[in-house]
Amino acid sequence: GILTFTISAHVMTVRRSLLAGLFSLVFTVVGSRMSAAAVTGGVGAGKTTVCQLLQQNYDYAVVDMNEVTRSLLSKDHLFGLSQWWICSVVGKDIVDPESGEIITDVLMERLSADPELQMKFSNISAWCTIATVIKDILVHRLCEWRQNVVVDVPPQMIHDSSLLRAVCSPIIVVEAPLQSRFHRLLTRDPSSTEEEIELRIKVNDDLVS
């Protein structure tokens, strides 16, 4: 009886050790693939161009934070959680009953009338955007098992979010002469005046300085 108990206890110990080792291996693998390179830089510096070159020439998967932000109000964004969170703060009546999408004009009107609500919406937007970026990194790195993933991220976002900095490594800063940035933005948005372009660059640089 004692011998049987000793063998059973030994088997249980071995099983626990194997299980602990398996979990440790899984966490190590998942942890090692929870990061991606980040490309950032001032407006018009060329960070998106760098990401496109990486995608075309080196088969990088690109996570574009600007695209993520633009899709924030979609009913499908982050499996519908973004819209649910926004509506829980702003009100369910901002959603079109037919399409199920948020009515942008109604949302903007409500936010402009309430600075506190605007601040809450900004916080929700930031968290939902970062959560989506992390989700996209995991999809590329774990589900698709891709080695090369890069995040196109505005400098203010990477500066303000410690969570984003934790999953983005290395962080590559793209710089360009002021005149080159000016001409790039003017070409991208010909409807803007030179004064508006200069102000946009100044405001952007002040935010990240």
Side-chain angles (χ1 to χ4, degrees):
I2 296 176
L3 179 61
T4 302
F5 175 78
T6 303
I7 293 174
S8 298
H10 179 69
V11 170
M12 287 296 294
T13 302
V14 170
R15 285 178 178 175
R16 287 172 182 168
S17 298
L18 289 174
L19 193 59
L22 180 61
F23 275 117
S24 176
L25 177 62
V26 169
F27 287 133
T28 300
V29 171
V30 171
S32 67
R33 300 192 69 83
M34 280 186 66
S35 64
V39 173
T40 189
V43 59
K47 58 184 178 296
T48 300
T49 301
V50 170
C51 288
Q52 289 173 346
L53 290 172
L54 289 172
Q55 185 179 45
Q56 293 167 6
N57 298 326
Y58 299 98
D59 196 33
Y60 269 75
V62 177
V63 179
D64 189 337
M65 283 198 71
N66 287 324
E67 287 189 8
V68 171
T69 303
R70 283 192 289 268
S71 66
L72 179 68
L73 300 182
S74 169
K75 63 182 179 182
D76 298 322
H77 188 272
L78 202 60
F79 312 109
L81 291 175
S82 298
Q83 189 186 92
W84 170 83
W85 197 358
I86 292 169
C87 290
S88 68
V89 172
V90 181
K92 295 181 180 179
D93 57 329
I94 63 172
V95 176
D96 186 330
E98 293 185 4
S99 65
E101 299 287 355
I102 290 176
I103 306 170
T104 307
D105 291 343
V106 176
L107 173 64
M108 293 300 106
E109 182 180 354
R110 196 160 297 178
L111 292 178
S112 62
D114 190 337
E116 185 178 348
L117 192 62
Q118 192 174 44
M119 181 65 69
K120 290 180 180 179
F121 175 78
S122 296
N123 291 334
I124 292 172
S125 299
W127 276 107
C128 289
T129 299
I130 293 168
T132 303
V133 168
I134 294 173
K135 183 263 294 180
D136 288 347
I137 291 174
L138 290 176
V139 167
H140 289 310
R141 296 276 282 158
L142 285 174
C143 301
E144 300 173 2
W145 206 253
R146 297 186 67 154
Q147 187 64 32
N148 299 323
V149 181
V150 63
V151 183
D152 182 348
V153 53
Q156 184 185 4
M157 187 68 79
I158 200 84
H159 179 269
D160 293 344
S161 174
S162 58
L163 180 59
L164 198 57
R165 292 195 300 274
V167 298
C168 290
S169 179
I171 298 173
I172 304 161
V173 180
V174 179
E175 296 182 348
L178 186 60
Q179 198 65 21
S180 298
R181 296 170 64 190
F182 177 83
H183 285 299
R184 184 177 287 119
L185 290 175
L186 197 58
T187 302
R188 188 187 302 171
D189 187 9
S191 62
S192 296
T193 65
E194 293 186 0
E195 291 75 15
E196 288 172 337
I197 295 294
E198 289 175 353
L199 180 61
R200 185 178 171 189
I201 292 175
K202 182 180 184 306
V203 169
N204 179 263
D205 290 352
D206 287 345
L207 285 172
V208 299
S209 60

